[in-house]
């Protein structure tokens, strides 16, 4: 039974989509004012993992990921989306470009990097700037129903009108009243926790639109409500994001969407934990972030990074270290070498042959992933298969190498999103033959032949890696 941990209920729940067999899924996409970093990519790789695993389990998934190209303010992590500068405009001024040029550049960059990370493109990447009429219409309906109010051209959502406010984050008005205070709430607000739906643009603001209230721009939160509704309907199955999106962003999305539509907005909220650097959140605003380029410069591939994410459960904090990346690379290479060995394997020994039970490995793998995507366990299971397979190949006993290879390729590439590397040197058949001969010599304790074969292999330009999971080759 497939179960996900739902932030809304704080429990693991069986996943049952609204329409049998079909899943509507929304992910808060990048704010395109800077390069996406490996922290953002943890959240996006996780959304892709959810999608891929659902497809592997036979669901048809419609995935929407927005592009925030307006209205995300520099202070809205702490405030309610109404103070600070627009991040796009700030970057535009700094780089001496228009906000549209900035947005286009960083959007292209984000998509390019996601491709390198083998993250499947969303079915739609709606841009906030192209959905202003939809946002205005939701705001009009909130005003008509008295869930929002206007003052001096600014429109705010009235949190006191939504009794369920706080149901996602636990930040109910009662809890917020104890201790929490905003530094500099907007003067037009009735309650400091009200959040902006529309803000009147200052004179020199570049990205602004006509509205019934002022020439202005939308609040960040309303963008995601408008774009998810447009492409997935008023109620849909899964919404993902990083933990830092829970409050205020997702709490606000729920409030305004449920008040506008009168129906439950999202059934399952899945949030991935943050990636830390030296114990601190990695964030664009802190400047302590690594990009995929840094990963590559240090001799790793984007897929190694993706593999690193899998070694921690998505709801555990993960401290980024180069050691963890090296471990992931080693695991990836072990599995890839295993696949290449399987693909070249023909058993010499005709007695005492053994078949690996793929069914049993599949059952274990599926059970781990069904349990709220337990990827560390799923990888452990795959590595156990590698060990068993290599041992049987060493002893020339494995009968179903092709079947093992197809299984591992399927789960690795389809379900986990770990593509086999392009740069992987196809090890030529004559070299693999030498390796098999060496393995046989070793099993027969004929060390003279085994050493001679090893030297021949090394002379052909390969390293032999003997490990507890078996023997593999890599190009020097
Ligand atoms: P932003 O562009 O800041 O809105 O972030 C885009 C996505 O990346 C959101 O889902 C965030 O929750 C996520 N995110 C930002 N920083 C981190 C981090 N250090 N670790 C993991 N996810 C992050
Ligand atoms: Zn969002």
């Amino acid at each position: 039974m497939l179960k996900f941990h739902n932030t809304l209920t704080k429990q693991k729940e069986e996943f049952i989509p609204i329409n049998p067999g079909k899943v509507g899924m929304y992910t808060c996409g990048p704010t395109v004012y800077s390069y996406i970093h490996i922290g953002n990519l943890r959240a996006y790789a996780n959304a892709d993992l959810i999608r891929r695993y659902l497809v592997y389990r036979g669901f048809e998934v419609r995935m929407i990921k927005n592009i925030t190209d307006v209205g995300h303010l520099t202070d809205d992590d702490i405030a309610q989306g109404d103070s600070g500068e627009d991040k796009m405009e700030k970057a535009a001024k700094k780089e001496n470009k228009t906000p549209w040029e900035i947005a286009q550049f960083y959007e292209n960059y984000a998509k390019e990097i996601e491709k390198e990370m083998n993250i499947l493109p969303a079915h739609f990447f709606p841009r906030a700037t192209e959905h202003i009429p939809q946002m205005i219409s939701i705001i009009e309906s909130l005003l008509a129903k008295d869930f929002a109010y206007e003052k001096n051209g600014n429109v705010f959502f009235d949190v006191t009108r939504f009794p369920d406010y706080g149901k996602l984050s636990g930040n109910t008005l009662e809890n917020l009243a104890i201790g929490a205070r905003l530094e500099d709430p907007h003067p037009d607000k009735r309650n400091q926790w009200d959040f902006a739906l529309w803000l009147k643009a200052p004179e020199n603001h570049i990205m602004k639109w006509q509205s019934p209230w002022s020439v202005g721009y939308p609040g960040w939160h309303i963008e995601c409500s408008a774009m998810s509704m447009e492409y997935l309907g008023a109620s849909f199955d899964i919404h993902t994001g990083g933990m830092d999106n829970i409050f205020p962003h997702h709490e606000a999305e729920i409030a305004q969407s449920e008040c506008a539509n009168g129906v439950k907005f999202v059934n399952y909220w899945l949030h991935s934990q943050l990636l830390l650097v030296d114990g601190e959140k990695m964030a664009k605003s802190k400047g302590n972030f690594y990009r995929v380029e840094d990963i590559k410069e240090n001799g790793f591939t984007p897929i190694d990074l993706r593999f690193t994410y899998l070694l921690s459960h998505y709801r555990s904090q993960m401290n980024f270290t180069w050691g963890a990346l090296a471990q992931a690379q080693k695991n990836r290479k072990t599995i890839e070498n295993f696949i290449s060995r399987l693909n070249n394997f023909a058993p010499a020994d005709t007695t005492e042959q053994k078949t690996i039970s793929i069914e049993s490995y599949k059952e274990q793998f599926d059970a781990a992933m069904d349990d709220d995507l337990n990827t560390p366990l799923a990888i452990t299971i795959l590595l156990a298969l590698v060990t068993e397979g290599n041992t049987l190949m060493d002893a020339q006993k494995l009968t179903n190498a092709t079947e093992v290879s197809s299984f591992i390729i399927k789960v690795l590439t389809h379900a986990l999103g770990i593509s086999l590397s392009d740069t992987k040197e196809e090890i030529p058949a004559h070299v693999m033959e030498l390796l098999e001969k060496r393995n046989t010599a070793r099993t027969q304790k004929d060390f003279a032949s085994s050493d001679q074969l090893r030297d021949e292999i090394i002379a052909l330009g390969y390293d032999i890696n003997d490990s507890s999971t078996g023997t593999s080759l890599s190009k020097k």
Side-chain angles (χ1 to χ4, degrees):
M1 183 203 290
L2 175 57
K3 284 185 168 187
F4 290 134
H5 180 273
N6 189 349
T7 312
L8 196 59
T9 56
K10 326 278 179 278
Q11 282 175 18
K12 280 186 203 170
E13 292 177 349
E14 182 183 357
F15 175 68
I16 304 169
I18 298 168
N19 300 306
K22 298 197 171 171
V23 182
M25 182 171 168
Y26 185 89
T27 295
C28 289
T31 309
V32 283
Y33 69 102
S34 173
Y35 295 105
I36 56 169
H37 55 65
I38 64 170
N40 304 135
L41 284 166
R42 185 183 189 198
Y44 300 147
N46 190 54
D48 188 55
L49 177 73
I50 298 166
R51 168 182 176 182
R52 281 176 178 277
Y53 190 63
L54 286 165
V55 172
Y56 167 86
R57 288 287 260 100
F59 293 97
E60 193 185 309
V61 182
R62 180 180 171 92
M63 165 88 169
I64 309 297
K65 182 170 183 174
N66 74 296
I67 303 288
T68 300
D69 54 358
V70 66
H72 195 330
L73 303 183
T74 49
D75 285 348
D76 56 15
D77 283 348
I78 43 160
Q80 293 289 277
D82 54 35
S83 64
E85 266 178 287
D86 186 310
K87 288 181 176 176
M88 299 298 311
E89 298 224 350
K90 191 175 168 201
K93 270 185 225 150
K94 194 167 138 210
E95 296 190 28
N96 214 7
K97 293 190 178 140
T98 67
W100 283 272
E101 286 167 336
I102 293 284
Q104 191 59 59
F105 177 83
Y106 290 111
E107 178 186 322
N108 293 347
Y109 174 82
K111 286 182 177 163
E112 192 47 47
I113 290 294
E114 292 204 345
K115 201 159 135 202
E116 290 188 26
M117 295 283 294
N118 201 27
I119 292 175
L120 295 169
H123 297 101
F124 287 99
F125 285 101
R127 296 188 185 99
T129 50
E130 289 167 7
H131 294 77
I132 304 288
Q134 288 88 333
M135 296 176 210
I136 291 179
S137 123
I138 302 172
I139 300 171
E140 280 177 326
S141 117
L142 289 170
L143 281 164
K145 294 180 189 163
D146 211 19
F147 289 114
Y149 56 92
E150 185 267 341
K151 194 169 177 196
N152 298 326
N154 300 306
V155 185
F156 297 96
F157 183 89
D158 181 348
V159 291
T160 63
R161 294 269 296 127
F162 182 53
D164 277 349
Y165 189 77
K167 70 177 170 181
L168 183 72
S169 63
N171 285 333
T172 55
L173 294 181
E174 216 174 46
N175 288 342
L176 285 168
I178 313 166
R181 270 200 60 79
L182 284 182
E183 285 219 336
D184 193 14
H186 196 288
D188 293 339
K189 278 189 194 179
R190 288 184 194 156
N191 176 321
Q192 62 169 331
W193 299 110
D194 292 348
F195 55 86
L197 296 168
W198 188 265
L199 290 166
K200 184 177 170 177
E203 201 50 44
N204 57 359
H205 206 84
I206 306 165
M207 290 180 119
K208 52 191 171 189
W209 292 265
Q210 273 300 342
S211 80
W213 318 288
S214 61
V215 175
Y217 59 98
W220 171 35
H221 315 312
I222 193 71
E223 300 180 3
C224 284
S225 288
M227 290 184 274
S228 56
M229 268 176 226
E230 176 83 4
Y231 297 93
L232 295 170
S235 286
F236 59 94
D237 301 296
I238 299 178
H239 196 313
T240 78
M243 290 286 177
D244 58 337
N245 285 156
I246 297 175
F247 187 83
H249 186 50
H250 291 163
E251 195 70 68
E253 275 187 44
I254 292 176
Q256 64 207 0
S257 306
E258 297 196 351
C259 290
N261 298 323
V263 291
K264 188 174 180 191
F265 177 44
V266 170
N267 286 337
Y268 301 86
W269 287 88
L270 273 70
H271 290 100
S272 53
Q273 257 294 3
L274 296 179
L275 183 75
L276 306 181
V277 184
D278 299 327
E280 272 204 64
K281 179 189 166 189
M282 181 180 299
K284 288 173 208 168
S285 54
K286 286 194 186 142
N288 66 348
F289 64 89
Y290 291 114
R291 285 163 43 192
V292 164
E293 284 77 355
D294 302 309
I295 301 299
K296 292 199 272 193
E297 268 168 27
N298 282 278
F300 298 99
T301 67
I303 299 299
D304 290 329
L305 175 62
R306 194 158 175 165
F307 206 115
T308 313
Y309 298 144
L310 297 177
L311 297 178
S312 298
H313 187 257
Y314 77 92
R315 283 190 296 110
S316 309
Q317 275 194 352
M318 181 180 166
N319 203 12
F320 174 75
T321 63
W322 293 103
L325 199 50
Q327 181 58 46
Q329 185 179 58
K330 192 163 157 251
N331 288 340
R332 179 182 62 74
K333 284 189 175 168
T334 300
I335 298 178
E336 284 195 355
N337 287 329
F338 176 60
I339 292 169
S340 118
R341 190 176 178 196
L342 286 169
N343 292 346
N344 289 288
F345 183 76
D349 187 350
T350 48
T351 55
E352 275 191 75
Q353 297 213 334
K354 286 240 167 70
T355 300
I356 291 182
S357 166
I358 293 301
E359 231 161 75
S360 147
Y361 278 103
K362 181 169 162 32
E363 248 168 49
Q364 292 177 59
F365 176 86
D366 290 2
M369 293 295 287
D370 274 2
D371 182 17
D372 192 31
L373 307 169
N374 189 343
T375 54
L377 181 58
I379 298 290
T380 305
I381 291 159
L382 295 187
L383 289 174
L385 171 58
V386 171
T387 306
E388 186 182 357
N390 273 328
T391 309
L392 289 177
M393 285 194 281
D394 288 350
Q396 292 294 321
K397 289 189 192 320
L398 180 65
T399 54
N400 59 340
T402 312
E403 200 194 346
V404 175
S405 167
S406 334
F407 166 71
I408 203 159
I409 290 176
K410 183 171 179 203
V411 293
L412 198 69
T413 60
H414 291 205
L416 300 176
I418 302 296
S419 49
L420 300 177
S421 49
D422 298 336
T423 54
K424 180 173 64 85
E425 331 75 40
E426 262 307 321
I427 297 174
H430 67 280
V431 182
M432 285 309 291
E433 236 167 71
L434 291 176
L435 180 69
E436 293 310 337
K437 279 191 191 157
R438 176 180 174 261
N439 288 336
T440 311
R442 286 177 85 208
T443 346
Q444 293 165 351
K445 305 216 181 318
D446 174 2
F447 296 114
S449 306
S450 134
D451 287 351
Q452 191 195 330
L453 286 158
R454 187 199 57 208
D455 294 345
E456 276 182 52
I457 294 169
I458 293 174
L460 289 168
Y462 294 88
D463 278 329
I464 302 184
N465 318 303
D466 293 314
S467 76
S468 58
T469 46
T471 303
S472 61
L473 294 183
S474 53
K475 197 146 179 88
K476 277 200 226 187

